[in-house]
Amino acid sequence: SQQGEEDPQALSIQEGENATMNCSYKTSINNLQWYRQNSGRGLVHLILIRSNEREKHSGRLRVTLDTSKKSSSLLITASRAADTASYFCATDQAGTALIFGKGTTLSVSS
Amino acid sequence: NAGVMQNPRHLVRRRGQEARLRCSPMKGHSHVYWYRQLPEEGLKFMVYLQKENIIDESGMPKERFSAEFPKEGPSILRIQQVVRGDSAAYFCASSSTGRLNTEAFFGQGTRLTVV
């Protein structure tokens, strides 16, 4: 399978805590993207990090990329109930289309 | 500027019938991708089309599934003689460049139920 793997599969935290999700992939990439999917909805793009970047920030999101380990992490700081969703990493390792992992389901309780 | 539009949102078909799923990309986008999502799973790539051309169909099942993106009108994913295993959410995404260094915009999906 060309899919990446997210870890953990599910994560439950309290509002205000930080949430960290990890993604591993198999072959070399040019960039990696993170998407969010609310229950029953389509995917929404969060952030893109290029292979020559090590860290990127967007609001409460922080993404890191370690190409030597073929892994990335997504950190959501000061989480809110509205952050409850599934989070997917996607890579261009297939060449013509984004390849998605199985996702991490985040549940934030108030 | 409307986003990616998929219809219908929900589709129920009996085994053996045909399912037609439509996707209108964002205005100005000529690259369309179809993905399938099974419950509790990630998205699996099916096919990548550009206007009137299939660029990559490596994720499409060899039988019963076909896709097109005509010069005019939406992209169509067609599933013939549906079986229960085809029940899933089908998502369409579009992009302006076809290069994977930009974000893809997703529709809300079509949830196909085969009874």
Side-chain angles (χ1 to χ4, degrees):
Chain A
S1 166
Q2 288 184 296
Q3 281 188 318
E5 294 290 333
E6 282 93 340
D7 166 58
Q9 280 190 306
L11 182 59
S12 294
I13 59 174
Q14 299 283 323
E15 263 192 328
E17 294 180 336
N18 296 342
T20 300
M21 291 158 258
N22 303 296
C23 165
S24 60
Y25 55 91
K26 296 182 179 175
T27 62
S28 62
I29 60 171
N30 295 306
N31 64 76
L32 183 145
Q33 303 184 37
W34 284 90
Y35 286 78
R36 183 184 73 208
Q37 183 181 34
N38 288 84
S39 180
R41 308 297 293 266
L43 276 73
V44 174
H45 179 263
L46 295 175
I47 197 165
L48 179 152
I49 186 165
R50 303 186 197 287
S51 61
N52 61 354
E53 298 175 309
R54 291 295 167 259
E55 188 170 310
K56 203 160 182 181
H57 296 255
S58 177
R60 293 184 296 113
L61 305 181
R62 173 180 166 244
V63 168
T64 62
L65 179 64
D66 186 336
T67 52
S68 66
K69 294 181 180 177
K70 293 187 171 58
S71 68
S72 172
S73 68
L74 170 67
L75 168 67
I76 304 174
T77 59
S79 61
R80 306 166 182 167
D83 294 329
T84 295
S86 293
Y87 293 82
F88 297 90
C89 69
T91 62
D92 63 348
Q93 56 188 318
T96 57
L98 291 175
I99 301 300
F100 287 82
K102 291 188 176 181
T104 292
T105 300
L106 174 64
S107 177
V108 182
S109 53
S110 53
Chain B
N1 186 9
V4 177
M5 304 299 292
Q6 289 188 249
N7 67 81
R9 290 292 307 277
H10 300 274
L11 182 62
V12 179
R13 284 286 177 265
R14 295 187 185 280
R15 280 178 294 171
Q17 290 185 319
E18 177 180 289
R20 277 182 179 247
L21 288 63
R22 294 174 188 77
C23 169
S24 296
M26 284 185 69
K27 188 176 181 182
H29 287 190
S30 59
H31 301 264
V32 165
Y33 307 81
W34 285 94
Y35 288 84
R36 177 165 62 178
Q37 185 178 35
L38 294 169
E40 311 302 324
E41 297 263 332
L43 277 72
K44 299 237 179 185
F45 167 71
M46 299 182 75
V47 61
Y48 162 37
L49 309 105
Q50 201 177 349
K51 282 284 186 182
E52 300 185 271
N53 290 304
I54 296 174
I55 307 301
D56 181 353
E57 57 182 347
S58 59
M60 286 278 270
K62 294 290 184 281
E63 297 177 349
R64 303 188 297 108
F65 285 71
S66 62
E68 62 177 9
F69 189 14
K71 188 176 179 181
E72 302 290 337
S75 175
I76 306 285
L77 179 67
R78 182 181 177 208
I79 310 172
Q80 295 178 289
Q81 299 175 324
V82 295
V83 301
R84 288 227 170 100
D86 297 332
S87 295
Y90 292 83
F91 290 94
C92 163
S94 75
S95 74
S96 58
T97 65
R99 292 194 297 272
L100 301 178
N101 58 355
T102 57
E103 71 176 283
F105 294 84
F106 280 81
Q108 296 298 308
T110 292
R111 276 143 192 87
L112 172 66
T113 302
V114 179
V115 297

